[in-house]
Amino acid sequence: MQVEEKNNYQESQFDLKRFIYTYLSRWSWFVIGVLICLSCAFIYLRYKIPSYNASAIILVKDDKKGGMVAELAALSEMDLMGNIKSTVDNEIEIIKSRTITESAVKDLNLNIRYQLEGRVKTVDLYNDSPINIILNNEEAVKSTKRFKVEYLSGNDYFLLDEEENKLGKYKFGEPVTHDNITFTVINKSSNDNSSFKISVKIEPLSSITSDFKSKLKVELISERTSVVQLSIVDPVKARAEDFLNKVIENYNADAVKDKSLVFKNTADFIDARLKIISAELGDVERKGEQYKIENKVTDITSEGGLFLQNASEFQKLFIEAETQLRVVESLIDYVEESSINDLIPANVLSSTAMDPSLTPSLIAEYNDLVLKRNRLSKGATDENKRLSKIDAQLESLRENVLANLERLKNTLLIRRKDLAVQQSRLDSKIAEIPTQEKEYKSIARQQNLKEALFVYLLQKREETAISLASTAPNAKIIDSALASNIPVSPKRNIIFMAAFLMGLILPFGVIYIKDLLDTKIHTAKDLSHLTVPYLGDVSSTDNSNELISLNSRSNTAESLRIVRTNLEFILGQVPQSIGKTIFITSTIPKEGKTFISVNLASTIAMSGKKVILLGMDIRNPKLDEYLDLPPKGLSNFLSTNDTALNNYIVRVPGFESFDVLPPGIIPPNPAELLMSDKVGDMFAELKKEYDYLIVDTAPVSLVTDTVVIAKYANAVVYVARANHLDKQMLTVPESLYRDKKLPNMAIVLNDTDHKKGYGYGYGYGYGYGYGYGYGYGPEVKKRSFFDKLFGRNKE
């Protein structure tokens, strides 16, 4: 295998295969992540209380969108209902109003909740509650009250607080005062032998109203129709249905009440006028009766029949004018005396005497504005701008109504005056008629006038009564409230899908962030930017202290044999007559340089070469962790005048041509010892006797020992440990190689995981990167379960 350098290989594109393999190699992370997330989703769905959507559809009667039903078509001449109109937009706001919602909450007692507490979740009982709480005064509830009712048997129950401390024993149906409220507990359970413990939650009416008002949705199904859909989401289906039905019921009741108010005020006005006219008519009839009795006459009109026939038309017109004049005067008095909250009676004027400028719509507009003001004033103060604006409009309309009534009065006065002139002309022609006839005619005229007015008011009273009785609701129910059996939340499919995706995304994110923050080298590709030649990689081993034997077929042994073979290319220029000196060094401690030194030496020795291993890392020697060595060695040789080097060299057991020069004791001046002349003499002597000199030296980033003696080396094997050395430290070997401080320097990547490469065939595998290692044995490095799970190498 040839040594590869950066100028021969340059990776410039994104490696998709490596990127995918990074995540596939940690497939167990994704499996565990998905299982955990799906388990969490299952537990969440198991104990999460579902919410259901209930909806109802109504038709709001709006003539602007084709929804007005002509229930009062037979009374079209009355024009009482024709001016009471509503638009769908306004009615939607009324349905969503706090007044309608609060009335529904109050009618259904939704501010009182009955709950059955379990170990994990609490179930809302609603109508299934075995008890019923009746509050003496709902307005007294200013804050949320919580307590529990425990029933064992009989007609007694225990009242408990939230911590289940007993507050007292009471009887069902007995008023109880607790926490500033008075209430009565009613037992609805039919089974006296069934015990229970119910949690009761009483909330202020205002807060629960706001809660339901925020959940209530009122929307038009289509802009071209007046069909409206009401919907609400609630955990209890029955409660959602009851609430929507009650909202529709209260809305209709409120609309009927508003419509009936106009008719009721009109009927009251007519009844008051009938009482007055009835009394006046009675007086006139008694006066005529008394006149005939006193004058002893029965029929005094025959003598003036001809003249009266001519004057009958004028008399009829005069009576009509007088009648309308009295009605107008009464209406003026009523308007002047009424307050801003009172409604003006409608439909009391005859159409024949009506001034074209005083149309019924003016009075109807005034009444509609009064109703709107009364409704707004329920929830607003006097300083409300909308209320002030309506007051100003009402005052303006009132003045317009009075002005029109005054004009109508003046018109009727002129008309009556003209009729009186005509009547006087006829009277002059009947001057010869007896005085009794003339006086009686005056009495009869008054009687006819009162009778006409009385009959007119009776007719209007009947019309108003019919209108009041036929007032219909403003909304027609198309579909009553119905809750769906499928919950709107939580959505099981979406939650399981989200949990599945989260189970994939979380491990992906963790792995991505872990790799993003990872500054260690892992594969030969992390060394690809260096110009330093690459010798190969050495696989991880289960026992780092075990010496490789001749029959060893592990991945580590085979990778070291490859490194040995690659070294031959570097050492090809060294004469065969002298020993080849190979230095082993690293950037920092614990990168495995001593392991490489010992096993590389043993590998070369097994090939039949005579090898000596020199322990020249005399500051922190580690050879004794691999070999059984005496305490004396190189440092003793260099620090004394002893010239017999062989006295310190020992033979490694089991090898015929593998010797070791131990590092000896740790000296106080290692740098000075390595700079002595004895070091050069020692190398010269050993090169003559051995084929290979393997030198275990100190790390180069901490001390200068290796650089000091580098001149004696034919090649330097620079060890970089995978998953240990920081990528920033790679500037050290690059600088040393570029400055040529270490001769024939080449890098070996130690402690690589062969399982993260691509395997094929029997007993073969090759690592990812520049170096390739081939093994011929079935031996596989064993890792713990957690090492396999988290993709870690055993160090």
Side-chain angles (χ1 to χ4, degrees):
M1 175 181 176
Q2 295 181 352
V3 178
E4 302 184 21
E5 300 182 3
K6 183 183 178 181
N7 54 359
N8 296 326
Y9 180 82
Q10 179 68 36
E11 184 69 42
S12 61
Q13 296 181 348
F14 174 71
D15 193 339
L16 179 61
K17 184 180 293 185
R18 184 187 181 193
F19 176 81
I20 295 175
Y21 182 76
T22 299
Y23 294 95
L24 290 180
S25 62
R26 297 183 175 98
W27 60 268
S28 56
W29 289 40
F30 294 93
V31 172
I32 294 176
V34 169
L35 291 177
I36 291 176
C37 290
L38 288 179
S39 299
C40 292
F42 176 79
I43 295 173
Y44 170 79
L45 292 173
R46 172 66 178 82
Y47 296 106
K48 174 66 175 177
I49 298 177
S51 295
Y52 300 89
N53 181 69
S55 61
I57 299 177
I58 61 174
L59 173 66
V60 176
K61 299 173 184 177
D62 177 21
D63 61 336
K64 293 185 178 180
K65 295 189 178 180
M68 189 66 182
V69 180
E71 292 92 343
L72 301 181
L75 303 175
S76 58
E77 294 182 356
M78 294 168 55
D79 201 23
L80 292 176
M81 287 290 291
N83 295 300
I84 303 177
K85 305 182 186 297
S86 62
T87 63
V88 174
D89 299 331
N90 291 336
E91 297 308 313
I92 287 177
E93 295 302 320
I94 294 174
I95 295 174
K96 294 192 298 184
S97 67
R98 186 178 187 84
T99 302
I100 299 297
T101 305
E102 183 175 346
S103 62
V105 171
K106 188 181 297 184
D107 292 343
L108 297 173
N109 291 323
L110 297 181
N111 59 323
I112 304 176
R113 297 197 175 185
Y114 310 95
Q115 298 172 330
L116 183 62
E117 295 183 355
R119 293 184 179 179
V120 178
K121 68 178 181 179
T122 300
V123 179
D124 201 324
L125 297 177
Y126 189 51
N127 289 334
D128 296 330
S129 171
I131 63 172
N132 187 28
I133 303 293
I134 300 176
L135 292 174
N136 286 15
N137 183 11
E138 292 182 347
E139 303 299 330
V141 182
K142 302 299 182 183
S143 61
T144 302
K145 313 293 183 182
R146 299 176 186 269
F147 56 87
K148 297 180 180 180
V149 175
E150 183 179 19
Y151 171 71
L152 299 177
S153 62
N155 195 38
D156 298 330
Y157 67 91
F158 289 100
L159 192 66
L160 313 176
D161 59 13
E162 290 188 76
E163 289 75 25
E164 298 195 0
N165 299 317
K166 291 185 177 180
L167 303 175
K169 185 177 182 181
Y170 303 94
K171 293 184 179 296
F172 288 110
E174 175 186 4
V176 178
T177 301
H178 168 67
D179 201 6
N180 299 323
I181 61 172
T182 302
F183 56 89
T184 303
V185 181
I186 305 299
N187 188 4
K188 295 178 2 182
S189 176
S190 58
N191 188 358
D192 296 336
N193 298 324
S194 178
S195 61
F196 54 78
K197 184 187 293 183
I198 304 299
S199 297
V200 180
K201 180 181 178 182
I202 303 177
E203 299 182 79
L205 196 61
S206 58
S207 63
I208 200 68
T209 299
S210 299
D211 181 39
F212 274 90
K213 185 176 183 295
S214 62
K215 295 193 296 182
L216 176 63
K217 293 183 179 180
V218 185
E219 301 172 328
L220 265 177
I221 292 182
S222 173
E223 293 294 334
R224 301 178 64 86
T225 66
S226 58
V227 178
V228 177
Q229 182 181 52
L230 289 75
S231 62
I232 190 172
V233 176
D234 195 79
V236 182
K237 294 189 287 185
R239 181 168 60 198
E241 294 173 353
D242 292 345
F243 175 75
L244 292 181
N245 289 332
K246 185 59 68 174
V247 165
I248 296 172
E249 178 184 338
N250 291 341
Y251 165 70
N252 279 332
D254 184 70
V256 170
K257 181 181 177 181
D258 285 347
K259 293 178 181 179
S260 300
L261 189 59
V262 177
F263 302 134
K264 187 178 182 301
N265 279 273
T266 302
D268 292 342
F269 171 77
I270 293 175
D271 288 339
R273 293 304 303 162
L274 279 173
K275 291 180 180 179
I276 298 174
I277 299 302
S278 179
E280 292 178 353
L281 182 58
D283 293 340
V284 172
E285 289 177 344
R286 284 191 296 271
K287 184 178 180 180
E289 180 184 5
Q290 186 66 30
Y291 182 83
K292 286 185 176 183
I293 292 174
E294 290 177 355
N295 292 276
K296 298 179 181 181
V297 294
T298 57
D299 185 8
I300 58 175
T301 61
S302 57
E303 294 182 3
L306 182 59
F307 295 103
L308 293 176
Q309 184 179 358
N310 295 332
S312 61
E313 185 65 25
F314 290 100
Q315 184 179 2
K316 180 180 178 181
L317 295 175
F318 181 85
I319 292 172
E320 183 179 355
E322 183 68 17
T323 300
Q324 294 300 321
L325 182 60
R326 296 292 296 275
V327 172
V328 170
E329 289 174 347
S330 299
L331 198 56
I332 291 174
D333 294 339
Y334 179 85
V335 173
E336 290 177 343
E337 293 174 1
S338 63
S339 66
I340 199 170
N341 295 323
D342 295 333
L343 299 171
I344 299 175
N347 200 27
V348 295
L349 296 175
S350 175
S351 58
T352 58
M354 187 74 68
D355 188 337
S357 62
L358 182 61
T359 61
S361 61
L362 189 61
I363 297 177
E365 183 181 359
Y366 180 88
N367 289 338
D368 288 343
L369 204 55
V370 170
L371 290 174
K372 183 176 181 181
R373 183 193 182 279
N374 292 341
R375 186 183 304 172
L376 183 61
S377 64
K378 293 179 181 179
T381 61
D382 295 338
E383 290 78 13
N384 189 280
K385 293 183 177 180
R386 292 184 59 191
L387 195 61
S388 301
K389 183 178 179 181
I390 291 175
D391 290 344
Q393 293 176 350
L394 284 173
E395 190 61 31
S396 176
L397 285 174
R398 185 179 181 183
E399 291 176 0
N400 290 338
V401 170
L402 286 174
N404 279 276
L405 288 175
E406 287 294 338
R407 285 197 298 272
L408 181 58
K409 178 181 176 182
N410 293 333
T411 301
L412 292 174
L413 287 172
I414 295 172
R415 185 176 181 183
R416 188 185 65 172
K417 182 178 180 181
D418 292 338
L419 292 173
V421 171
Q422 296 294 333
Q423 187 67 36
S424 63
R425 290 177 182 176
L426 290 175
D427 289 344
S428 64
K429 293 180 180 181
I430 58 173
E432 297 177 356
I433 298 175
T435 304
Q436 293 87 354
E437 177 68 18
K438 184 176 181 181
E439 293 176 353
Y440 181 77
K441 203 66 177 179
S442 177
I443 295 172
R445 187 165 48 249
Q446 292 295 324
Q447 181 180 353
N448 293 335
L449 176 62
K450 301 297 182 183
E451 286 178 352
L453 182 57
F454 186 78
V455 172
Y456 175 79
L457 290 176
L458 281 177
Q459 179 184 356
K460 290 302 178 182
R461 185 176 68 176
E462 291 302 316
E463 292 175 352
T464 303
I466 294 173
S467 299
L468 184 61
S470 61
T471 302
N474 209 42
K476 178 182 178 181
I477 300 177
I478 298 177
D479 289 331
S480 298
L482 180 64
S484 172
N485 291 325
I486 301 175
V488 294
S489 69
K491 296 184 179 296
R492 297 180 63 87
N493 294 338
I494 295 178
I495 289 179
F496 276 124
M497 180 61 69
F500 180 79
L501 294 177
M502 188 63 68
L504 297 177
I505 293 173
L506 285 178
F508 183 88
V510 171
I511 294 172
Y512 178 79
I513 294 175
K514 178 177 178 293
D515 291 344
L516 191 66
L517 299 178
D518 185 13
T519 59
K520 305 296 183 182
I521 62 173
H522 299 284
T523 65
K525 188 169 185 179
D526 296 325
L527 308 175
S528 60
H529 65 284
L530 299 178
T531 58
V532 184
Y534 184 74
L535 277 179
D537 56 69
V538 178
S539 301
S540 302
T541 179
D542 288 332
N543 188 359
S544 60
N545 295 330
E546 182 180 355
L547 201 63
I548 294 176
S549 63
L550 181 62
N551 298 322
S552 177
R553 299 174 64 188
S554 66
N555 288 285
T556 304
E558 293 303 326
S559 58
L560 282 169
R561 293 186 180 105
I562 292 173
V563 171
R564 179 193 65 187
T565 303
N566 291 339
L567 275 173
E568 294 299 327
F569 291 95
I570 297 178
L571 299 173
Q573 303 298 326
V574 180
Q576 296 292 332
S577 59
I578 62 174
K580 300 175 182 178
T581 306
I582 303 172
F583 279 21
I584 312 296
T585 188
S586 63
T587 307
I588 57 177
K590 297 184 179 181
E591 290 199 74
K593 64 178 181 60
T594 304
F595 169 79
I596 298 295
S597 301
V598 173
N599 285 285
L600 182 61
S602 65
T603 302
I604 297 175
M606 285 185 291
S607 65
K609 301 296 183 179
K610 191 174 183 180
V611 180
I612 184 171
L613 175 63
L614 284 72
M616 299 195 73
D617 184 2
I618 57 179
R619 294 177 183 267
N620 186 23
K622 297 292 183 181
L623 280 179
D624 55 353
E625 295 180 2
Y626 299 88
L627 303 171
D628 186 13
L629 302 175
K632 293 184 179 181
L634 177 64
S635 60
N636 302 91
F637 170 72
L638 295 177
S639 61
T640 62
N641 294 325
D642 189 359
T643 58
L645 182 63
N646 291 332
N647 294 334
Y648 300 97
I649 297 175
V650 297
R651 175 65 53 86
V652 178
F655 291 85
E656 297 180 356
S657 58
F658 184 12
D659 297 337
V660 177
L661 177 61
I665 61 174
I666 300 176
N669 56 343
E672 287 73 12
L673 289 179
L674 295 176
M675 295 174 63
S676 65
D677 295 336
K678 292 184 69 175
V679 173
D681 297 338
M682 177 190 68
F683 275 108
E685 180 182 349
L686 293 176
K687 286 183 179 182
K688 296 177 181 178
E689 186 176 353
Y690 293 93
D691 297 324
Y692 286 89
L693 283 69
I694 307 300
V695 183
D696 179 25
T697 62
V700 295
S701 67
L702 302 179
V703 294
T704 60
D705 296 0
T706 302
V707 178
V708 168
I709 60 176
K711 58 186 177 181
Y712 303 113
N714 297 121
V716 176
V717 176
Y718 198 99
V719 179
R721 185 176 182 180
N723 308 310
H724 179 75
L725 183 64
D726 195 286
K727 293 178 181 178
Q728 294 182 353
M729 298 297 293
L730 293 176
T731 56
V732 176
E734 179 68 15
S735 175
L736 292 173
Y737 181 79
R738 187 171 54 250
D739 297 341
K740 298 182 179 181
K741 292 183 178 180
L742 301 177
N744 291 326
M745 176 180 166
I747 285 184
V748 169
L749 184 61
N750 185 31
D751 199 20
T752 60
D753 186 2
H754 69 280
K755 287 192 175 183
K756 289 190 176 180
Y758 305 100
Y760 65 92
Y762 171 76
Y764 290 85
Y766 64 92
Y768 189 95
Y770 290 102
Y772 297 85
Y774 296 89
Y776 295 89
E779 180 178 344
V780 179
K781 184 175 87 70
K782 295 182 179 180
R783 296 185 297 164
S784 67
F785 170 76
F786 290 101
D787 288 337
K788 294 178 180 179
L789 178 63
F790 296 106
R792 299 181 304 190
N793 294 332
K794 185 174 181 179
E795 297 181 1

